[in-house]
């Protein structure tokens, strides 16, 4: 029986740790050839995962990397825009430099990646793009106003890109995680444990999300089993957003 992503060439950003690393490992387990991109260098023993040191805000470097992958593989089937940054600030404490940096990484770089990779996908009849949004863009979150705005932009971008790229056979969806237990979560919990406990109690399924939960959703959306799904925002949040 064929694997879910057998022979698919997949690019994943922000893949050195946390959710991105789990997505890369899951895609490889499902049969994909994975190009795992991150600003920091990292290693892996998995022969199907190829680490690439890449700053996604450097458009020239991104274009060079994509063209090299396309030259080697002959096709690119999936892009997962996972890389992102967050500065948690209340409205009165928001700094312009931090907001600009979040929009550059979380929105502008994502748009440019979609722009470049869609041209390559179109040459081979289509592909799948999966953006990582956030439940904060749906529900709002005190202390995350600017960050929520960037992820709201990702949701709007996803829906519009899906309609524009559909004639080229390119599907665009987003996964909107809830609270996920990663290295970043541990740091947040240390600073705001009581408030986070209140949010956890509002999760209907009664637990935190895991990187695996997000990776499974991304793998499905990247696969041919989701061939008629595009323009959707899939909440992977334990029923916290309903």
């Amino acid at each position: 029986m064929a694997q879910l992503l057998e022979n698919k060439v997949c690019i994943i950003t922000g893949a050195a740790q946390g959710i991105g690393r789990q997505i890369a490992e899951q895609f490889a387990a499902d049969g994909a050839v994975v190009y795992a991109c991150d600003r920091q260098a990292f290693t892996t023993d998995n022969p199907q995962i190829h680490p690439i040191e890449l700053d996604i805000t450097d458009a020239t470097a991104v274009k060079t990397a994509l063209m090299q992958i396309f030259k080697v593989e002959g096709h690119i089937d999936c892009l997962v825009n996972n890389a992102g940054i967050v500065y948690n600030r209340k409205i009165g404490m928001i700094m312009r430099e931090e907001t600009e940096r979040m929009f550059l990484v979380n929105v502008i770089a994502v748009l440019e990646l979609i722009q470049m990779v869609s041209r390559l996908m179109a040459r081979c009849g289509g592909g799948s793009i999966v953006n990582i949004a956030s439940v904060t863009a749906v529900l709002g979150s005190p202390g995350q106003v600017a960050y929520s705005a960037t992820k709201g932009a990702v949701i709007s971008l996803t829906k519009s890109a899906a309609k524009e790229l559909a004639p080229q056979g390119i599907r665009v969806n987003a996964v909107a995680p809830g609270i996920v237990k990663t290295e970043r979560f541990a740091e947040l919990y240390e600073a705001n444990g009581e408030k986070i406990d209140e949010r956890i109690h509002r999760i209907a399924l009664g637990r935190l999300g895991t990187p695996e939960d997000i990776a499974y959703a991304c793998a499905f959306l990247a696969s041919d089993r989701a061939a008629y799904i595009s323009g959707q925002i899939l909440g992977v949040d334990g029923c916290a957003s309903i």
Side-chain angles (χ1 to χ4, degrees):
M1 184 176 179
Q3 292 178 286
L4 189 64
L5 299 174
E6 188 170 356
N7 298 324
K8 290 192 180 294
V9 176
C10 303
I11 298 170
I12 299 162
T13 67
Q17 60 184 346
I19 292 172
R21 181 101 182 199
Q22 187 61 48
I23 294 171
E25 291 175 357
Q26 185 61 51
F27 276 40
D30 285 331
V33 175
V34 177
Y35 286 85
C37 307
D38 204 286
R39 282 191 309 166
Q40 59 181 334
F42 68 100
T43 59
T44 175
D45 295 329
N46 193 322
Q48 288 179 246
I49 300 177
H50 307 283
I52 297 178
E53 194 171 342
L54 180 67
D55 182 348
I56 63 167
T57 66
D58 184 341
T60 300
V62 169
K63 183 177 181 179
T64 298
L66 291 178
M67 292 304 298
Q68 181 62 27
I69 294 169
F70 190 78
K71 182 179 179 180
V72 170
E73 301 291 348
H75 56 105
I76 295 174
D77 302 292
C78 177
L79 166 67
V80 179
N81 282 309
N82 170 73
I85 58 172
V86 55
Y87 297 104
N88 295 311
R89 297 281 186 267
K90 292 184 182 265
I91 289 174
M93 301 299 291
I94 293 172
M95 299 177 64
R96 182 180 182 129
E97 294 81 4
E98 293 174 342
T99 300
E100 289 177 344
R101 180 64 183 168
M102 281 192 287
F103 270 93
L104 177 61
V105 175
N106 299 357
V107 183
I108 295 173
V110 169
L111 177 57
E112 289 180 341
L113 270 158
I114 292 173
Q115 183 181 52
M116 287 185 266
V117 85
S118 63
R119 292 170 182 159
L120 299 175
M121 287 179 172
R123 294 186 192 180
C124 299
S128 173
I129 296 170
V130 182
N131 300 319
I132 302 298
S134 172
V135 71
T136 63
V138 179
L139 298 179
S141 178
Q144 292 186 302
V145 171
Y147 173 72
S148 297
T150 68
K151 291 303 184 177
V154 168
I155 288 176
S156 295
L157 185 161
T158 297
K159 293 180 178 181
S160 293
K163 291 185 176 181
E164 185 169 331
L165 296 175
Q168 299 169 46
I170 300 170
R171 298 182 295 105
V172 188
N173 293 287
V175 170
I179 305 176
V180 180
K181 194 172 185 179
T182 62
E183 299 94 331
R184 180 181 293 174
F185 169 79
E187 296 172 3
L188 287 173
Y189 192 85
E190 186 175 344
N192 300 284
E194 187 174 331
K195 291 182 179 179
I196 292 175
D197 282 337
E198 292 176 4
R199 290 180 63 183
I200 294 173
H201 291 153
R202 293 197 295 269
I203 298 173
L205 289 181
R207 68 169 176 86
L208 293 172
T210 66
E212 289 85 354
D213 292 324
I214 311 307
Y216 294 147
C218 290
F220 169 70
L221 290 173
S223 76
D224 293 337
R225 294 180 189 177
Y228 200 55
I229 299 174
S230 193
Q232 302 305 304
I233 314 302
L234 178 58
V236 184
D237 57 21
C239 196
S241 58
I242 297 177

